[in-house]
Amino acid sequence: MTHNLLIIKGDGIGPEVVDAAVVVLENLGLDLHFDEAPAGYACYQQYGDPIPQTTLDAARRAEATLFGAVTTPPDIRNYRSAVVTLRKELDLYANLRPVRSLGLKGRHLRDGLDLYVVRENTEGMYSGLEEDYGDKATSLRVITKKGSERIVRYAFELAKKTGKHKVTIVHKANILRLSDGLFRRTALAVAEEYRQYGIEAQELLVDTMAMRLIKDPENFEVIVTTNLFGDILSDEAAELVGGLGVAASGNIGLEGAIFEPVHGSAPDITGKGVANPLATFLATVMLLQQINEVEASDRLQQAVTKIINEGNLTPDLGGTATTLEVRDQVIRFLQ
Ligand code: ATP
């Protein structure tokens, strides 16, 4: 069966890392068909819209989308972020961040980690409901039963699919008694259903979770939480295995699935040929899982681990290789 994939390259180093990933995908021996659509600041300059309706429609039609990076200019009023718009329009409610040790060495890096942070992606503190009262401003933190239930169910289904045995539900229900009270109650009810599959539920307050991620991260398998807490915890967790250069994420919902490196468009190194493509390759690993090409996904994951341990990396990871040299080493390791 042909997999129809959408490519959104974006701005800055986005096209450089996505082009490298497409060549890697083409070397996996799969039946893939690529479409391409524009988004980002260059798209805004050309078409007057950073995320045209045609791009949203193409992302909805595709089985999965690989997204590079976009520049968000700070000084244009009412500019809509391409990524936020995609999440909203396609209702991509699950933000998935794998945290896997790859063999990188460093002061705060940890070996042996293999966990996921699952973050609710559409409500909570980022509901976009803010009021300005002059010398006072408010942000409304919206938690719904539906939003809580589907994200927690996603986390338990992920645990089931990936052979994990524990899901940690993270909240602050002792203080946010109503909103996180609802999240907690809903989460614990979902957890009950998964007991029969041998998946244990644990709950932790977000501040305790932040400490435990540093103290004993190996004790976690799947962490599920609300939007802002997940945003912070997933970046904290990413630093344990190598940070921006190797952090990938998925935005997944019923109307689409978009995979991207966590880093931005890196204008300071654009065009120099030294952008590290590994985070985009790891986003590609996630994309392949999503389209059920599990064997190819595992092969690419192993090739990335191998280049980190044996190959020459780009300067941000202490090597001297170019983007294309990293790409070609990964392709060799795939053989
Ligand atoms: P944006 O405005 O798009 O968020 P930014 O430069 O503010 O861009 P990032 O793109 O995340 O934010 O980059 C932060 C730093 O990390 C920059 O110095 C950038 O060069 C570096 N960096 C980010 N991604 C990569 C990459 N893939 N390879 C090498 N360096 C990178």
Side-chain angles (χ1 to χ4, degrees):
M1 189 194 86
T2 306
H3 297 289
N4 289 307
L5 304 180
L6 180 68
I7 301 300
I8 300 178
K9 296 181 183 177
D11 303 309
I13 61 168
E16 299 171 37
V17 291
V18 170
D19 281 342
V22 169
V23 176
V24 167
L25 275 167
E26 285 169 344
N27 273 271
L28 285 165
L30 302 173
D31 186 4
L32 306 176
H33 174 266
F34 297 100
D35 272 328
E36 196 184 327
Y41 187 43
C43 173
Y44 172 81
Q45 288 170 312
Q46 195 174 351
Y47 304 106
D49 189 347
I51 179 86
Q53 187 60 42
T54 48
T55 299
L56 293 170
D57 293 341
R60 217 175 253 123
R61 274 195 312 272
E63 196 178 342
T65 297
L66 185 64
F67 189 99
V70 288
T71 303
T72 300
D75 48 358
I76 300 177
R77 265 181 81 85
N78 299 326
Y79 186 90
R80 53 179 195 160
S81 149
V83 182
V84 173
T85 306
L86 272 165
R87 281 181 193 165
K88 277 218 166 90
E89 292 281 324
L90 275 64
D91 198 16
L92 305 176
Y93 66 89
N95 185 283
L96 179 61
R97 293 273 293 265
V99 179
R100 199 167 285 143
S101 301
L102 297 158
L104 282 166
K105 300 291 172 215
R107 203 157 46 91
H108 55 275
L109 298 188
R110 308 288 280 258
D111 284 327
L113 295 190
D114 184 10
L115 62 100
Y116 292 97
V117 180
V118 176
R119 156 189 166 198
E120 205 293 322
N121 219 10
T122 57
E123 52 181 39
M125 205 62 190
Y126 299 162
S127 297
L129 299 171
E130 295 200 296
E131 293 289 346
D132 182 347
Y133 300 98
D135 52 6
K136 177 175 131 184
T138 59
S139 305
L140 201 57
R141 183 174 186 272
V142 179
I143 299 289
T144 65
K145 183 162 187 248
K146 177 183 167 212
S148 304
E149 186 170 336
R150 65 182 182 174
I151 194 64
V152 175
R153 196 172 291 286
Y154 182 91
F156 276 90
E157 282 296 322
L158 177 72
K160 202 167 130 201
K161 193 167 114 189
T162 55
K164 306 276 187 210
H165 297 102
K166 187 165 79 173
V167 174
T168 305
I169 298 158
V170 175
H171 57 74
K172 190 70 180 172
N174 57 337
I175 304 292
L176 301 168
R177 300 178 81 91
L178 298 183
S179 58
D180 265 9
L182 175 59
F183 176 75
R184 173 177 181 269
R185 270 196 318 281
T186 310
L188 293 176
V190 172
E192 270 305 307
E193 293 174 32
Y194 285 84
R195 239 187 233 264
Q196 58 178 313
Y197 302 109
I199 303 171
E200 174 202 346
Q202 170 191 40
E203 54 174 323
L204 279 186
L205 294 176
V206 63
D207 39 355
T208 308
M209 183 72 249
M211 288 193 288
R212 296 278 305 273
L213 260 182
I214 303 299
K215 191 166 164 242
D216 59 342
E218 58 285 340
N219 284 329
F220 297 92
E221 297 182 43
V222 176
I223 294 167
V224 62
T225 188
T226 51
N227 208 336
L228 171 64
F229 296 161
D231 192 7
I232 298 168
L233 291 175
S234 55
D235 275 5
E236 185 189 350
E239 277 303 322
L240 298 172
V241 295
L244 267 194
V246 289
S249 82
N251 296 285
I252 300 153
L254 296 178
E255 290 184 54
I258 298 182
F259 299 89
E260 57 177 335
V262 169
H263 63 70
S265 62
D268 53 332
I269 56 162
T270 299
K272 297 190 173 145
V274 293
N276 171 10
L278 292 184
T280 310
F281 294 171
L282 290 168
T284 308
V285 167
M286 298 177 76
L287 178 148
L288 291 166
Q289 282 279 350
Q290 175 73 19
I291 63 171
N292 288 319
E293 291 291 354
V294 178
E295 187 271 338
S297 174
D298 290 347
R299 239 174 351 120
L300 182 52
Q301 174 79 45
Q302 280 160 20
V304 169
T305 307
K306 196 157 176 188
I307 186 180
I308 285 173
N309 291 288
E310 298 172 22
N312 186 12
L313 303 172
T314 43
D316 59 304
L317 292 179
T320 56
T322 63
T323 310
L324 298 187
E325 284 165 353
V326 170
R327 177 197 72 186
D328 292 342
Q329 290 174 83
V330 166
I331 291 169
R332 266 199 306 283
F333 289 139
L334 282 173
Q335 308 308 324

